Amino acid sequence: MALAKGARITGGILCLLFFLWTAYWIVADIGAFGLVGLWDSWAGSRPPGTNEVTDPVQLGFCLLQLTAAGAAFAGRRSAGGLMAVATAATFATALQALISVGNHTSDDRWFRNAETGTATFDGVFLSSLPLFLLTLVAAVVLLAGNRSWPRARPSTPPARPAKAAGVIGGLLLGAMALGYAVWQVYMLVQGGSSAPQMLYLGKGSLSTLLSLAGGWYALVFMALTGIAGLNALIRGSAARGLSFGLALALLPNAVLAFITLLSTGSLFRTAGPMPGAVLISHTQLLLDLLGSVALCALMARGEPVAPAWQPPSPAVAFAAPGFVPGPAPAPPAGWQPPGPPPAPPAGAPPFPPAPPANPQAPYGGYGPPQY
């Protein structure tokens, strides 16, 4: 299967719109808090400001959306997987914003530091609804735009990962998916009956207007890494694009989190009320960080699923002007031209009598046509 050109271009336009939306809010944060202030917030040096919109997760999504749009317009075979991950990440962000920003009030607080009635707060909510609808359109386009290869037009074959790279990448993605699943089970067991609302909806724990709840983030990437891992193991044509997309989405947040833990000296500390959660989170962080780099290296080169295909040339039905036919084929060995027709029997006329001709019409009449 391969993504048709029309679906690829349409998906690229939608991913470009996703990128412009995310980039706008990053620029808005820079204008409100300054580049240094935003960096300090992302690196953990200071808490997020009032109505701060983005976080390092959105930085990774922004990079992913731009790369997916560029791959689509450039006609890359990995564009389908990249756009699938970009659509899923944008869908998760828009849905979270609609729920959390839409329900946050001064009495029912979903964010740690957010104020309603501001242009930024209202703008995030109002722009999230059309973004959410666009992600649904993009999902339909990507699902309906797959076609079997080869097609009538000549095209390069889809590329799949090499055999060793597919196995190693699939196992690595499977380990990442398992880490997300283990973290969710641990948090649900330790949190009790009140954990799901805060874990998956983020009520009372969200730091920025576009931040994802921890459980929702883990659920989305558990599904994406699981699908990508299975596709890599079977060496599917979407494995490289899915792997690249996950690496771009996870790497910026993992790098900044790693820098924060190193600067505070808490990377190897597990002390606290929930040491198991800290251990699982740090292990997942290393998987995301090292795994993203490894996936980029493993999936850098792919193998075509088949040789390049060209459609067969149609047969010549009519000679075009200037057409010169080739020499006639030689007759087979032993062939002789046919002889003269046999002579008629004795006494028979040499030729049969000709049929009577049509009578001539009189002058000026309307007889049968004379050809």
Side-chain angles (χ1 to χ4, degrees), residues 52-306:
E52 188 171 326
V53 182
T54 58
D55 58 11
V57 174
Q58 298 306 316
L59 177 63
F61 290 176
C62 185
L63 180 62
L64 166 65
Q65 292 156 354
L66 179 61
T67 306
F73 295 142
R76 303 296 183 186
R77 283 299 190 187
S78 58
L82 282 165
M83 288 190 289
V85 179
T87 301
T90 311
F91 167 82
T93 303
L95 182 59
Q96 176 75 74
L98 286 175
I99 295 174
S100 55
V101 180
N103 289 314
H104 177 84
T105 62
S106 57
D107 299 326
D108 186 16
R109 303 191 66 83
W110 286 62
F111 299 95
R112 299 174 189 171
N113 195 12
E115 297 297 335
T116 60
T118 63
T120 300
F121 191 91
D122 295 340
V124 170
F125 177 74
L126 294 176
S127 62
S128 296
L129 180 58
L131 182 73
F132 175 77
L133 297 177
L134 285 177
T135 59
L136 300 182
V137 174
V140 173
V141 168
L142 293 177
L143 291 174
N146 278 294
R147 299 289 184 269
S148 59
W149 188 90
R151 297 189 292 272
R153 295 181 178 179
S155 59
T156 57
R160 60 185 178 183
K163 188 173 182 180
V167 173
I168 297 173
L171 294 176
L172 182 57
L173 289 164
M176 295 165 69
L178 180 62
Y180 287 121
V182 169
W183 184 86
Q184 292 181 80
V185 172
Y186 182 88
M187 296 299 293
L188 289 172
V189 171
Q190 295 294 324
S193 59
S194 61
Q197 187 177 26
M198 184 183 71
L199 189 65
Y200 293 103
L201 299 179
K203 185 175 182 179
S205 64
L206 299 175
S207 57
T208 63
L209 297 183
L210 291 183
S211 58
L212 303 180
W216 176 233
Y217 176 91
L219 186 65
V220 169
F221 280 97
M222 180 187 70
L224 289 176
T225 51
I227 294 172
L230 180 61
N231 207 278
L233 288 175
I234 64 174
R235 301 177 68 198
S237 58
R240 298 176 65 243
L242 292 172
S243 299
F244 284 138
L246 287 169
L248 290 171
L250 294 171
L251 189 57
N253 182 46
V255 169
L256 289 173
F258 187 76
I259 293 173
T260 301
L261 292 176
L262 280 180
S263 61
T264 58
S266 57
L267 180 60
F268 302 104
R269 295 178 185 174
T270 57
M274 299 178 68
V278 175
L279 179 61
I280 296 172
S281 298
H282 289 185
T283 304
Q284 187 67 46
L285 172 63
L286 294 176
L287 277 174
D288 290 348
L289 178 61
L290 302 178
S292 298
V293 177
L295 286 174
C296 291
L298 290 170
M299 303 296 173
R301 298 185 63 182
E303 295 180 353
V305 297

Side-chain angles (χ1 to χ4, degrees), residues 34-60:
L35 186 60
V36 176
L38 185 62
W39 172 261
D40 290 340
S41 172
W42 287 359
S45 301
R46 69 166 181 85
T50 302
N51 285 349
E52 188 171 326
V53 182
T54 58
D55 58 11
V57 174
Q58 298 306 316
L59 177 63

